[in-house]
Amino acid sequence: MSVFQHNIQNDSEVIYADHAATTPLAPEALEAMLPYLAGSFGNPGSHHTMGQQAARAVLSARERMAELLHCRPREIYFTSGGSEADNQALLTAADWGRRQGKHHIISAALEHPAVLRTLGFLESQGFSITLLNPNRKGWISVEQVCAALCTDTCLVSIMTVNNETGMRQPVEEIAALCRTQGVLFHTDAVQAVGQIPLDFAEMQIDLLSLSAHKFHGPKGIGALLCRKGLTPVPLIRGGGQERGSRAGTENVPGVVGMAEALRLSCAGMEASHAHIARLCDRLTDGLLRIPKTYLNGDRACRASGIVSVCIAGIERDMLLLLLDQDGICASAGSACSAGALQPSHVLKSMGIPDELARGALRFSLGRDNTMEEVETIIRKVTEIVRTLRGTQGGMG
Ligand SMILES: *Cc1c(COP(=O)(O)O)cnc(C)c1O
């Protein structure tokens, strides 16, 4: 039988351990969205009652999100998700820099492709980019940023939590440093929002990206938080939605679902965090008992449900395929690089050798995972690795 002809899994048998790729929609968020997918379908730009109902829903979602994120409602610009928010944040800061005569940007080699590719574009537009490499644990230090700053620097962009290792970066300190230097600071907080407390008013962050589907909201909706005094440059021109910064009829069900998902995530944050931390500790202990298995990152700085390991001598794609057949959804790294056989750019930037990075395996747990599921994952991975090493050993 071809390895691709596996049975379609019954949902109840699937262990979903890929929350860094996306999360299931919270039932409460779906419930909140339904009226705007059906009866209340008005356009918020219309002046009749139906339109105004939709406009009120968007306004109220904006206000609730502002309260949860500790920002002003006017500092929220809805986007189609994290990638768009990252693109818009960087182009906005670059535009600001150009007007100040500053053309240098500092970021890190472990950023999401939405940041890295946009930086590549800006480089083609005449900006010079410094990409900092993290240490072996996947961590960028304030000192590194400080050393890279120069009088031409207009922007520093460092993500809050890395999507492959779960490592939390010292963004509060970096943001404070940038503020004293008159440099804008952006953070891709897609893996942090809804998982760790963030206070936009308190932190000296100028631009922050978030995406609903990473915190049990719907796909295709996110936001750019942009500090008062700075206006996002539009990527999409047209009508005057989002105060001229993002044209297009508002995604009303998306916005409503995102606000509800954020409310739930924030309300249950402490309990979920403790639960997920226990699961991660057990999963890490269990996986590290497999011989020649190494943790990517560092337990102490782990902020989310991500456990990433490298298993020596294993082809991750075969391992993932076999896990999938057993109903376990995991990933090699980011969803974007999965399928492409190159080792992850994040692990590479941490100095992990390519041969080892080819055996990278990422589990990302969520609030609905159980300890029993974690035990199953450990058992299955251990079995599969033993089998694969057996056959590979036989072939020399
Ligand atoms: C998922 C993710 C993105 C992209 O968000 P989309 O809403 O899928 O565009 C950006 N950055 C990080 C860190 C992510 O994990």
Side-chain angles (χ1 to χ4, degrees), residues 40 279 313 361:
S40 289
L279 299 182
L361 187 59

Side-chain angles (χ1 to χ4, degrees), residues 120-141:
F121 169 73
L122 286 171
E123 192 167 31
S124 77
Q125 302 295 300
F127 283 84
S128 79
I129 316 289
T130 301
L131 284 187
L132 304 173
N133 275 320
N135 68 8
R136 182 75 188 215
K137 302 276 187 196
W139 200 70
I140 299 284
S141 72

Side-chain angles (χ1 to χ4, degrees), residues 20-21 80-84 86 112 114 159 161-163 188 190-191 211-214 221:
S80 66
S83 300
E84 186 186 327
D86 282 341
H112 189 273
M159 70 204 314
V161 173
N162 180 263
N163 52 306
D188 174 336
V190 172
Q191 293 289 339
S211 175
H213 75 100
K214 302 291 174 81
I221 186 79

Side-chain angles (χ1 to χ4, degrees), residues 158-238:
I158 304 285
M159 70 204 314
T160 309
V161 173
N162 180 263
N163 52 306
E164 291 194 27
T165 61
M167 289 287 286
R168 183 176 184 168
Q169 309 298 329
V171 290
E172 286 90 344
E173 292 89 331
I174 297 173
L177 169 69
C178 291
R179 185 60 56 89
T180 66
Q181 301 299 307
V183 170
L184 291 181
F185 181 68
H186 164 250
T187 189
D188 174 336
V190 172
Q191 293 289 339
V193 169
Q195 300 209 50
I196 57 176
L198 289 176
D199 188 327
F200 191 71
E202 180 89 0
M203 298 163 87
Q204 293 169 307
I205 294 171
D206 300 294
L207 297 148
L208 181 149
S209 313
L210 62 93
S211 175
H213 75 100
K214 302 291 174 81
F215 55 84
H216 300 271
K219 291 172 183 60
I221 186 79
L224 171 63
L225 305 194
C226 182
R227 170 125 3 244
K228 183 174 169 269
L230 192 63
T231 306
V233 298
L235 306 184
I236 300 174
R237 296 172 190 84

Side-chain angles (χ1 to χ4, degrees), residues 59-109:
L59 180 68
S60 133
R62 194 188 298 279
E63 284 171 348
R64 274 174 291 142
M65 284 187 62
E67 210 166 296
L68 294 164
L69 298 164
H70 302 271
C71 67
R72 300 163 207 249
R74 292 173 66 91
E75 290 174 323
I76 300 178
Y77 295 84
F78 294 127
T79 66
S80 66
S83 300
E84 186 186 327
D86 282 341
N87 274 258
Q88 194 169 19
L90 300 184
L91 294 183
T92 297
D95 178 68
W96 178 85
R98 203 179 271 125
R99 284 186 279 112
Q100 312 270 316
K102 295 181 175 183
H103 298 87
H104 176 236
I105 299 173
I106 300 169
S107 187

Side-chain angles (χ1 to χ4, degrees), residues 368-381:
D368 299 328
N369 285 120
T370 64
M371 196 56 91
E372 198 187 342
E373 288 179 328
V374 166
E375 298 298 344
T376 306
I377 294 173
I378 295 169
R379 187 161 40 79
K380 294 282 186 192
V381 176

